[in-house]
Amino acid sequence: MSTLQIVYHPHPALRWKSKDVTRIDAQLKDWVGQMFDLMYEANGIGLAANQVALPYRLFVINPTGDPNEKEMEQVFINPQIVKRNGSEEGEEGCLSLPEIYGPVTRAERITVEAFDLSGRDFAMDLNGMPARVVQHENDHLDGVMFTDRVSDEALKALMPLVDDLAVQLRRQQSEGTLASDKELKKQLQQLQDERTGG
């Protein structure tokens, strides 16, 4: 089983438009376990497959961020937000944009449909923090970052930090500790082809 790690902006996986999961097997369950572990290690409350360089429509959340509260863990496979109501602004961060936070307006209440790790479909009506987390993670699956949703003014303030992350990633690539964008995209395409048929 491959070992996952969180990737940082501007890794190509973060702009990849994910494909539906077509099978739930031991490999996928192992990845989900690793995603929860990585999320807790980074003090997060949600993590999308793109953030660990997997090109699949899948994310995990635990709005409490507490690894001891297993009953709050939720896996969303092939999620769809089918209803949005209301609007509220709140501060968001992202494990792929560490130490960067900004105000994002999201729907206050949502209905989301997805499959769980047993392959059963379910629907959830969410509000407050759980609704915000699901919207944030669902955006990731479409290659959308929270910085795409902040105001121009807020983005201007964040850009030096965002740009610094890009400099760090390019340095890793030039030093050979991280593959080139071309190679990373090739790896994503291979993973996608293996499990989704293209």
Side-chain angles (χ1 to χ4, degrees), residues 132-149:
R132 180 168 292 276
V133 179
V134 164
Q135 290 173 85
H136 177 110
E137 301 308 333
N138 197 65
D139 266 358
H140 272 303
L141 305 185
D142 293 321
V144 176
M145 306 283 282
F146 88 86
T147 45
D148 299 330
R149 296 199 180 277

Side-chain angles (χ1 to χ4, degrees), residues 15-190:
R15 294 300 185 182
W16 197 268
K17 196 164 169 48
S18 303
K19 293 287 177 124
D20 279 352
V21 172
T22 55
R23 69 177 186 273
I24 298 169
D25 55 14
Q27 174 72 85
L28 193 81
K29 290 176 181 177
D30 176 70
W31 282 334
V32 165
Q34 289 188 57
M35 286 172 68
F36 274 118
D37 289 343
L38 289 166
M39 182 186 83
Y40 293 131
E41 280 171 27
N43 298 313
I45 55 177
L47 189 66
N50 308 57
Q51 294 181 271
V52 290
L54 293 175
Y56 312 123
R57 296 193 74 80
L58 158 73
F59 62 80
V60 302
I61 72 167
N62 180 343
T64 71
D66 186 345
N68 295 315
E69 293 197 38
K70 294 288 183 194
E71 71 280 1
M72 298 301 290
E73 292 183 353
Q74 188 78 40
V75 179
F76 294 80
I77 297 171
N78 302 344
Q80 286 188 311
I81 297 174
V82 295
K83 200 181 292 181
R84 290 177 165 88
N85 294 104
S87 174
E88 63 180 359
E89 186 178 87
E91 188 176 77
E92 294 188 17
C94 179
L95 298 183
S96 294
L97 291 162
E99 308 302 317
I100 298 174
Y101 303 92
V104 181
T105 299
R106 301 270 188 197
E108 192 178 355
R109 299 177 304 282
I110 64 167
T111 301
V112 58
E113 297 176 352
F115 293 89
D116 64 18
L117 262 188
S118 303
R120 287 190 293 264
D121 61 330
F122 66 91
M124 296 178 83
D125 295 314
L126 301 171
N127 57 44
M129 183 57 76
R132 180 168 292 276
V133 179
V134 164
Q135 290 173 85
H136 177 110
E137 301 308 333
N138 197 65
D139 266 358
H140 272 303
L141 305 185
D142 293 321
V144 176
M145 306 283 282
F146 88 86
T147 45
D148 299 330
R149 296 199 180 277
V150 300
S151 68
D152 290 344
E153 189 180 346
L155 184 61
K156 196 173 174 183
L158 297 179
M159 279 316 293
L161 297 168
V162 174
D163 289 342
D164 186 54
L165 279 176
V167 168
Q168 291 177 46
L169 184 132
R170 299 303 174 210
R171 186 183 299 128
Q172 286 179 301
Q173 289 178 321
S174 66
E175 291 170 352
T177 57
L178 183 69
S180 67
D181 278 5
K182 184 179 178 183
E183 183 57 36
L184 292 172
K185 287 176 184 175
K186 187 177 167 188
Q187 291 168 13
L188 287 162
Q189 189 63 54
Q190 284 173 341

